[in-house]
Structures are given as structure tokens and as C-alpha cells.
Amino acid sequence: MTSTDKTKKLNLSWFNRNLPQSVLFIFFLTMAAGCSSLNDDIVVEKAIKIEHPLKGPYEIAAEENIPSVISYEEPEDSLRFINEPIFKFNDKVYRYVLSPFAIGYQKIVPQPVDQSIRNFFYNLREPLYALNHLFQGELSKSGNSLARVLVNSTMGLLGLFDPADSMMKLVRDKTTFGETLASYGVGHGAYLVLPLLGPSDLRDTASLSFNYLAHPLNFINDKRAAQQLLLVDGIQAQTAILAKYPLVLADVENPYEFTRNLYMQSIQRDGQERRNEVFKTEKQKQKQK
């Protein structure tokens, strides 16, 4: 008898950007765009009879060299007395303010316009990617990011388009200061919930500080415009996650623990990938002996 395992990966490591003032600026930006509709693809998998059992998700991950968290212990949460009240505050803001706004954004802004906005802000962050790759000793990746920002800032009309990828096959390779710290063996530290920004940890908080201070927008003369652009960047980048936030937590008995565990599992998964750790089945282990 066979069965089909359905797995659904949900990434709630949201709000990795800064929200320095109000959301009014991005609201007027999105209202100026045209209308579009969202189509959700529904895939139905049917169980079929085969002669051999279907492989489980971890067996597939092992054979295809996909990093996965196989075992997971209850995370240490020494700051829960602070984290939980902040989480409850964030939850109300997400549900009743930012999530409705994100849903409206998706309905109003055409997909090509949304993609161009994303491209623009990604282009602004390319120097940060280049700097962090350099700190990580990845010279070729650092050069790739520098080449991308040069090409997209000129041929791509200030980054609105991505000819570096489409024409020159220079693929975007995102990285953060948190990954730089991790590459030097710095642990993630205690789990931490930040006001409005959501799930984080001590290492990621240091990364946020670095990324904010080193962001190219901080070096323009018009500080007000810089803050508004950072605001747009922070919210617009998370609209897809914010729009689905209430749905994701709809049937969750303990939203705080669910969100915390999902975030900490993603930290472990990323650590496995960074260390090139791959889960192996018992059969694969026997072959190696």
C-alpha cells in the first residue's frame, strides 16, 4: 500500500527591512498603479498504486542534495517574557493593518509594475551583496554583484529592469551580514521578536543594523526621501507574505510557538546548507561503508 506525502513549506521570516515612518507614502504609490488580478494555481495530487513505496521527502532531499532539517529540538527561548507581548502586538498590526494593505496592493498594482519596483530596490541592495560576499571571501560572487549593479543601473534604467540576468546571465546572488557572521562561526544567539519586524535572533539583529547603516540610500543628501524609499522597500518586499499571514495562522493553536519554531527551523536548515550537510538514508549510509 502506498501513500503520497504532501509537504508545504511556509517561510515566515518576514520584515527583514526597516519601517522608519508611516505607510502613507507607499499607499499613494500603489494607488497610482493600474489594476491586476491574482490567480492561484491549485495542484491536486492523487495517490496511485505502484510496485515500490514512494520515497519520503527526506529521501528525495538526500538524493537530490537538498538541505533539510531532519531532527529538531524545542528551541531555547530565554526571552519569551519579552518576545510574546511583542508578538501579540505585531500580530494585531499584521492582521488589521499591514495584511489588508498587502492584499490591496496585490489587487491594485499590475505584476509588471510590481516586478519593476522590486528590481529597483534589489539593484540598490546589490552593493551590500557585493560587500558581504567580499567579507565572506567569495571574490567571484562579489564581482558578479558589482557587475550586476553597473549593468542594471545603466542598461536597466536605474534598475527597473534586469538585463544583467536576462541578457548576460549574471544571476542575482543575495546574501546578508548575518550570513557573513555565520561564515565566521558566529552563532545565531537567542530567539528575538522585534517590534513590527517580527521573528529574529541576535545575529540577525546585528545584520539588520549593518544593512541599514550601510544601505546606499543613507548616503543621499535628501534624508526624508531616503527614509521614504526605505519604507517602500521594507513593505513592498514583504507584500506576498503579509497578504497570506492570516491564512497561514488561521488554524494554528499557538501562533507564537508556531512562528518561533518555523523561524528556528529555517535557521537550522540554512546552517546545514552553509556547511554542506546533507541528510543520508540508512541505505546510503550502508553503501558508504
Side-chain angles (χ1 to χ4, degrees):
M1 183 175 182
T2 64
S3 63
T4 301
D5 292 321
K6 297 181 179 180
T7 60
K8 186 175 183 182
K9 297 182 179 179
L10 299 172
N11 187 348
L12 293 180
S13 109
W14 60 86
F15 293 106
N16 247 347
R17 302 285 180 267
N18 298 278
L19 309 176
Q21 296 185 345
S22 69
V23 298
L24 290 178
F25 181 79
I26 188 173
F27 175 78
F28 290 115
L29 173 69
T30 58
M31 288 298 290
C35 298
S36 69
S37 60
L38 298 175
N39 296 319
D40 295 328
D41 295 327
I42 301 176
V43 179
V44 180
E45 296 180 358
K46 295 182 178 179
I48 57 174
K49 291 184 178 181
I50 55 176
E51 295 182 1
H52 303 287
L54 292 176
K55 296 177 182 178
Y58 297 131
E59 292 177 293
I60 295 174
E63 294 178 1
E64 297 183 3
N65 199 28
I66 301 173
S68 331
V69 173
I70 306 307
S71 60
Y72 181 70
E73 298 179 357
E74 185 75 8
E76 187 270 334
D77 191 1
S78 59
L79 300 176
R80 181 164 183 162
F81 69 99
I82 297 175
N83 289 336
E84 198 157 14
I86 296 176
F87 174 84
K88 291 179 179 178
F89 166 77
N90 289 348
D91 184 66
K92 293 293 188 295
V93 176
Y94 299 162
R95 289 180 185 274
Y96 302 114
V97 180
L98 296 181
S99 183
F101 170 79
I103 294 173
Y105 177 93
Q106 290 184 331
K107 290 182 178 180
I108 292 173
V109 180
Q111 195 279 331
V113 174
D114 178 62
Q115 187 59 55
S116 289
I117 295 173
R118 290 178 185 274
N119 289 340
F120 174 78
F121 286 112
Y122 272 131
N123 190 57
L124 288 177
R125 292 194 293 271
E126 284 286 357
L128 290 176
Y129 302 155
L131 190 60
N132 279 298
H133 281 308
L134 181 63
F135 289 160
Q136 295 167 29
E138 300 171 333
L139 299 182
S140 61
K141 291 184 177 181
S142 181
N144 179 81
S145 294
L146 288 176
R148 279 183 51 81
V149 72
L150 290 174
V151 171
N152 288 342
S153 296
T154 53
M155 296 175 60
L157 302 178
L158 298 179
L160 291 175
F161 303 97
D162 191 359
D165 187 351
S166 60
M167 298 173 60
M168 301 181 180
K169 307 304 179 185
L170 297 174
V171 180
R172 179 183 299 116
D173 193 347
K174 297 183 289 184
T175 188
T176 66
F177 187 64
E179 293 179 357
T180 298
L181 293 175
S183 70
Y184 287 95
V186 178
H188 56 73
Y191 175 68
L192 185 65
V193 180
L194 301 176
L196 295 179
L197 300 179
S200 186
D201 54 69
L202 295 180
R203 185 179 66 197
D204 189 56
T205 300
S207 175
L208 288 173
S209 302
F210 173 85
N211 290 340
Y212 175 76
L213 294 174
H215 199 291
L217 285 174
N218 289 316
F219 298 96
I220 67 176
N221 293 328
D222 192 336
K223 299 301 181 183
R224 183 178 179 81
Q227 289 180 340
Q228 290 175 335
L229 286 170
L230 283 169
L231 169 66
V232 176
D233 183 17
I235 296 181
Q236 189 272 346
Q238 303 299 331
T239 52
I241 295 173
L242 285 169
K244 296 180 179 179
Y245 177 82
L247 179 62
V248 169
L249 298 181
D251 299 321
V252 175
E253 183 177 349
N254 190 321
Y256 171 79
E257 293 185 355
F258 174 83
T259 304
R260 179 199 62 192
N261 294 348
L262 192 62
Y263 177 83
M264 296 307 293
Q265 287 175 22
S266 72
I267 292 295
Q268 288 193 7
R269 178 203 63 205
D270 294 343
Q272 284 182 317
E273 182 176 18
R274 189 181 302 110
R275 296 187 298 269
N276 294 319
E277 293 179 1
V278 179
F279 171 71
K280 297 184 181 299
T281 64
E282 289 301 321
K283 185 175 181 180
Q284 289 172 321
K285 291 178 182 177
Q286 291 298 324
K287 288 182 178 181
Q288 288 183 333
K289 293 182 179 180

